[in-house]
Amino acid sequence: MRRRTLTAAFMVGMAGILAAAPTNAIAGPDGQTGADRVHAKQSNIVALSAVERISRSVSGVDGQTHVTQETNRLYRDGQGRTRLESGSTVTITDPVARTTVRLDTKTGVFTKSAGGQRPDESRAMAEPATVEQRQLSSAPRHLGTARFDGVLAEGTARTVTLRRDNAAPVASEVTTWLATELQLAMHTKIVDASGTVYEKAYTDVRTGVALAADLFTVPPGYRAADPAAVAAVDCPLTAVPNPLFLDSFGPFLAFGSQVGVTDFPNAACLIVNTAAYVESPLWAFTTTPLGLPFFEWVFFDTGGPVPFLPWTAFGLSCYQAANLEDTTEGCGLVVLNIWP
């Protein structure tokens, strides 16, 4: 049985509950909770390959707009496993085994993180200062349909707003064009309050491809990375990856990690505080303690009901880093696309 959606009439009455209630406490129309849906029968996942193009536009202190672009290669098989080739970095995600592997093709080194078993959500709910469920996005504004590289997609726009304590709200405009038939977000555009623009698009999408199994495994001869050897990042703090994109396919519930990292050797910054904000059906848990140069959040889809499919939910992870002279904050966006 696939994830249930809410009918239009039922959706009106449930709107406030979806925004505020713990997802694991919400039952669908059939009486099943999100936890029940983990064992639903397998859905059909479209195997494909595609070219991924990412563009970032940032307004610099010099008043000029600086644009960076990258071109990656995406592979996805019928089990939902993905392989993303970005320069010398290859990221392999397996939603069934709940693992993410990153390969450095230059050095022959790999790192592996695992989501493991589903965390005790009721226990996590007892720590509201760490994880908070709230409505982050506006109601979707439907944009109709359009074709991207010949693929028909349906567009929606949302305003995603983060309010923290007494600080002024920070809003981002997020536009997504979802191709339901391919189960792929053909185009995503994010414009934040600073004017920074992030765009991700797919071209040369090919379906029905036969993908070799070794695309989704660690090649022979690779060695595990030393956990202490953290790659240098911009000081003082950055969230990687940002945005973090997750895709759920029927009962294959997405998960993925985002790390707040400081340039510890140069700035002696440590993560001293952190928080995550999620919309239903997203939830999150942590894997590292405070007081280190990095901090990891794992975000996952609980499988709870959504108003309709496909559906997009959002999350935010925020980090505070400090040394003897400075304190700085940074946040990362999480985008979950849920497919029929």
Side-chain angles (χ1 to χ4, degrees):
M1 181 177 296
R2 296 187 179 187
R3 179 197 304 266
R4 291 287 184 130
T5 57
L6 305 180
T7 65
F10 190 66
M11 175 180 168
V12 174
M14 289 290 291
I17 299 175
L18 281 171
T23 304
N24 63 314
I26 300 173
D30 56 0
Q32 290 184 314
T33 64
D36 295 326
R37 300 171 197 276
V38 177
H39 304 292
K41 71 178 183 181
Q42 179 173 335
S43 63
N44 295 321
I45 300 176
V46 179
L48 55 80
S49 67
V51 174
E52 178 184 87
R53 303 187 189 279
I54 295 175
S55 171
R56 293 179 176 87
S57 175
V58 180
S59 298
V61 294
D62 56 1
Q64 301 296 314
T65 300
H66 302 272
V67 179
T68 59
Q69 296 180 332
E70 62 180 271
T71 301
N72 307 318
R73 189 79 196 184
L74 172 72
Y75 301 91
R76 186 179 75 201
D77 71 1
Q79 300 179 47
R81 296 181 298 181
T82 61
R83 175 189 177 98
L84 183 65
E85 300 175 352
S86 177
S88 62
T89 301
V90 176
T91 303
I92 301 171
T93 302
D94 186 334
V96 179
R98 299 179 65 82
T99 58
T100 299
V101 175
R102 292 179 176 85
L103 311 175
D104 186 330
T105 59
K106 286 185 177 180
T107 63
V109 170
F110 74 91
T111 59
K112 182 177 182 179
S113 59
Q117 299 297 317
R118 290 172 58 84
D120 185 343
E121 295 171 32
S122 61
R123 181 178 177 183
M125 287 287 183
E127 303 174 0
T130 301
V131 186
E132 181 178 334
Q133 192 169 70
R134 63 168 72 168
Q135 190 66 25
L136 301 175
S137 62
S138 64
R141 304 183 296 276
H142 296 279
L143 305 178
T145 60
R147 289 190 179 274
F148 295 85
D149 199 37
V151 177
L152 185 66
E154 183 174 352
T156 56
R158 292 175 173 86
T159 300
V160 180
T161 305
L162 173 64
R163 292 180 174 87
R164 301 189 65 198
D165 302 325
N166 296 322
V170 178
S172 298
E173 295 298 321
V174 182
T175 304
T176 56
W177 291 89
L178 305 182
T180 302
E181 185 175 348
L182 293 182
Q183 301 167 312
L184 189 66
M186 290 298 297
H187 190 275
T188 303
K189 183 177 182 178
I190 302 168
V191 182
D192 68 20
S194 69
T196 298
V197 179
Y198 172 96
E199 291 189 76
K200 183 178 74 167
Y202 289 101
T203 61
D204 192 25
V205 180
R206 301 181 181 183
T207 60
V209 293
L211 301 177
D214 58 9
L215 283 175
F216 307 98
T217 61
V218 177
Y222 273 64
R223 66 185 187 282
D226 180 356
V230 180
V233 296
D234 293 339
C235 187
L237 175 67
T238 189
V240 289
N242 181 21
L244 168 64
F245 289 100
L246 304 175
D247 288 280
S248 283
F249 304 96
F252 288 145
L253 305 181
F255 81 100
S257 63
Q258 187 178 74
V259 182
V261 190
T262 70
D263 189 357
F264 178 76
N266 297 325
C269 293
L270 300 176
I271 304 293
V272 296
N273 198 8
T274 186
Y277 306 88
V278 295
E279 289 182 339
S280 174
L282 267 176
W283 196 250
F285 64 96
T286 64
T287 64
T288 51
L290 293 173
L292 297 176
F294 59 92
F295 190 95
E296 181 180 48
W297 280 101
V298 175
F299 291 87
F300 65 97
D301 176 5
T302 67
V306 293
F308 53 84
L309 294 174
W311 181 255
T312 302
F314 298 90
L316 289 157
S317 57
C318 294
Y319 311 88
Q320 184 181 64
N323 57 18
L324 295 177
E325 300 179 355
D326 186 35
T327 299
T328 186
E329 293 185 353
C331 293
L333 179 66
V334 181
V335 181
L336 167 66
N337 292 314
I338 304 171
W339 303 97

